[in-house]
Amino acid sequence: MKIAHRSPLRASLALLAAGALGCAHAGALPAGMARRELRLSEGEEAPRVRIDYPRENEVDASLVARAIENVLPVLREWGSFSRSVTIRLYSDHAALEAAVGRYARPWMRAWARPEEIALQAPSSWGERLPGHRQLEELLLHELTHSLMYQLASKGDEWQRKRIPFWFREGMASVVAGQGYRRSSLPELSREAALRDGPLLGGTDTESRREMTLNYSLAHHAFAWLLELVGQERIQELLAELRRGQRFDAPFERATGLTPNGFDRAFRAWLVGETWR
């Protein structure tokens, strides 16, 4: 999936920092903090994306706001947010890790929940500011998480839906067009042939190598699922979760396979190289 590109990053900094996107009233924000807001759909009462940031990160907030504007059309293809989402900017990586309680992950740039995304300020990612594509891709991935959680639940019960890691991360990776970051199908085919047991049972809590493999399997499994059943049926699966179901039964109705059966079919698809 392609992401729209705008003019070169640095050429737009002056315009963005001047507040071309507008700045909302900060309300009860702590001293030294500011807020920007974007509507997620039409109407004064529509859910919003709120960007809360330290005032010294004004340029970061502007870049984030512009990136969100660019990716909203892709998100709208999958559904509508029912609640607002707050993106909290943290000035450096240590602050992000402390905020989400996940440590020793130098590659982590953000962490998403249904109504909140913790985001490391782009200016602290490295020696240079990230390009438009890199920032848009990350925000599309994280906002897809928030949208999926909202589509699948009315409140905090999303964690009880038992949505597997491969589905959560696969959907976010596919919607964000991150296949080029993942291991190739030939690589995964060779890996699958050497492994016993489920392929799709991994998480992001293992070694860096295993985590990379798990994200790659998740991406390609979701892409295959999308090819098999189509986007509309996946959206209906999420709607069933919102109506009170847990993951397994709606998944079986959508695919004709239990989650374990899908895992076995995915392995056969990989190892048999029918994807060729």
Side-chain angles (χ1 to χ4, degrees):
M1 187 173 292
K2 294 182 180 179
I3 301 174
H5 292 278
R6 298 286 177 93
S7 56
L9 178 66
R10 295 186 183 278
S12 64
L13 284 180
L15 177 66
L16 293 169
L21 296 173
C23 189
H25 295 294
L29 288 172
M33 297 290 291
R35 172 176 293 164
R36 288 173 177 263
E37 290 192 355
L38 298 168
R39 288 195 189 97
L40 286 165
S41 56
E42 299 297 327
E44 286 296 324
E45 302 303 317
R48 299 168 186 254
V49 173
R50 301 186 180 98
I51 306 165
D52 290 357
Y53 60 96
R55 291 191 180 277
E56 61 266 26
N57 292 111
E58 178 71 32
V59 170
D60 290 292
S62 297
L63 292 172
V64 169
R66 174 60 57 84
I68 291 170
E69 282 193 327
N70 287 352
V71 304
L72 280 180
V74 180
L75 288 163
R76 288 178 183 133
E77 293 176 7
W78 282 89
S80 300
F81 287 88
S82 57
R83 286 129 37 212
S84 294
V85 177
T86 299
I87 297 178
R88 304 188 192 281
L89 260 62
Y90 293 91
S91 296
D92 56 37
H93 189 73
L96 173 67
E97 288 191 335
V100 303
R102 300 293 193 278
Y103 299 95
R105 298 184 180 195
W107 58 87
M108 182 174 66
R109 294 289 177 260
W111 190 266
R113 297 182 179 89
E115 298 175 39
E116 183 176 340
I117 295 171
L119 175 66
Q120 182 179 337
S123 61
S124 69
W125 288 11
E127 294 182 1
R128 296 184 301 173
L129 283 168
H132 280 309
R133 178 183 173 85
Q134 186 180 1
L135 183 55
E136 289 172 7
E137 186 183 292
L138 175 78
L139 286 165
L140 184 50
H141 182 111
E142 301 303 331
L143 284 165
T144 298
H145 279 315
S146 294
L147 176 61
M148 187 205 70
Y149 295 144
Q150 290 195 21
L151 291 174
S153 66
K154 298 176 182 179
D156 293 336
E157 75 276 11
W158 62 274
Q159 295 184 75
R160 298 193 293 275
K161 300 296 181 178
R162 298 182 180 174
I163 305 171
F165 170 89
W166 74 262
F167 187 96
R168 300 192 313 267
E169 290 301 335
M171 179 173 173
S173 182
V174 168
V175 173
Q178 293 179 308
Y180 73 97
R181 291 179 175 269
R182 311 307 179 197
S183 301
S184 68
L185 287 171
E187 291 173 311
L188 293 180
S189 178
R190 290 191 293 272
E191 188 71 36
L194 297 173
R195 287 180 169 243
D196 296 321
L199 280 183
L200 300 176
T203 68
D204 63 349
T205 60
E206 301 167 68
S207 69
R208 184 68 189 275
R209 181 188 179 281
E210 289 296 314
M211 188 189 76
T212 299
L213 176 63
N214 292 339
Y215 273 86
S216 298
L217 288 166
H219 177 96
H220 289 292
F222 189 89
W224 189 53
L225 173 67
L226 186 59
E227 182 181 335
L228 288 175
V229 304
Q231 181 174 325
E232 186 175 339
R233 194 167 291 183
I234 293 174
Q235 290 170 306
E236 177 55 31
L237 186 162
L238 294 172
E240 285 195 58
L241 297 182
R242 186 177 176 85
R243 292 193 289 268
Q245 296 285 309
R246 289 184 174 176
F247 183 81
D248 288 10
F251 183 83
E252 186 170 356
R253 282 191 287 273
T255 64
L257 295 167
T258 65
N260 287 338
F262 179 81
D263 191 303
R264 292 190 295 271
F266 179 59
R267 176 194 290 277
W269 181 75
L270 277 178
V271 175
E273 299 189 0
T274 45
W275 42 267
R276 289 191 183 277

